[in-house]
Amino acid sequence: MSLRPSGWSRPRSVPHHSVVSHVTLHVWRVPPARLGALLWRVARDRGRLRALPGARFAKVLGTGRGFTPGAVDATRWAVLTAWRSRSDAAGFELGTVARAWRRIAVAECRLDLAPLASRGTWAGQQPFEPDGPAAIGGAVVAVTRARLRPVRAVRFWRAVRPVAGAVAGADGLLATFGIGEAPLGWQGTVSVWRDAAALREFAYRGEAHARVVAATPAQRWYAEELFARFALVEVAGDRSLIGWAGP
């Protein structure tokens, strides 16, 4: 999955989008002994999250230690939510959905994000349109998401293996992990960078990453793709849950 957009074209019809001022990424560790409760939460909360006051977009996501199907981490789950305001996000922390996840989890980490830029769509929406210019400085977070074309999935996974190795050793990388809505074909990445310059250096100058980006228009791997960049406002909780390597 690319950390910079390539081969973008304007959709024939303008997709639904909502301006947001705050995004949260909650990550929980749920032990295997609570698998039944976990599956219930995943099934029930997909719809409940979208109905929360101020929620403009929400996804329950599985995670991976890397970006390939074999790297799935079945004990770590995430909820990514775009909010109308930060006060709406704060209300979620005290609500029934967040409390239910905490009852079954043994660890939690929350990233508070301010949207900076977003290109592409997710489920036909543009979910991370910022409500105004955000201050640029400090750590940034990149979120990518793609829906693979089934007939091209195998070739895609072969192509991105070198990228997965390169990003692990990238200068300025603070944390990274895979996210997905399904075990195969609907996946993405979350990466946290020391600053915007470190993200740009990897995205535009990394050799392995550049090859994948250059090949994307011709290979047509994605039926849908999105790239979004955020300012990291705060990290709360257990940073080891997201593989944090920073100070």
Side-chain angles (χ1 to χ4, degrees), residues 84-163:
R84 178 182 56 200
S85 68
R86 193 165 186 177
S87 61
D88 289 320
F92 171 77
E93 300 300 322
L94 304 175
T96 57
V97 175
R99 292 203 307 267
W101 277 94
R102 291 186 185 113
R103 282 196 295 269
I104 64 172
V106 294
E108 177 184 4
C109 184
R110 188 191 76 242
L111 281 69
D112 288 274
L113 312 172
L116 294 173
S118 181
R119 295 288 300 274
T121 60
W122 189 333
Q125 299 183 46
Q126 295 173 333
F128 305 121
E129 293 296 309
D131 66 351
I136 299 177
V140 297
V141 176
V143 173
T144 70
R145 181 266 180 186
R147 177 163 52 88
L148 291 178
R149 299 180 190 275
V151 297
R152 292 176 170 83
V154 173
R155 280 181 291 176
F156 170 79
W157 290 121
R158 288 173 180 165
V160 298
R161 285 195 184 105
V163 178

Side-chain angles (χ1 to χ4, degrees), residues 53-74:
R56 299 304 198 193
F57 182 85
K59 290 288 182 179
V60 180
L61 302 166
T63 75
R65 296 175 297 277
F67 310 139
T68 60
V72 170
D73 185 346

Side-chain angles (χ1 to χ4, degrees), residues 221-244:
W221 285 313
Y222 312 133
E224 184 181 51
E225 61 176 322
L226 175 139
F227 169 82
R229 184 165 54 93
F230 306 86
L232 180 62
V233 178
E234 182 181 5
V235 183
D238 184 356
R239 297 188 180 195
S240 69
L241 191 53
I242 60 172
W244 187 269

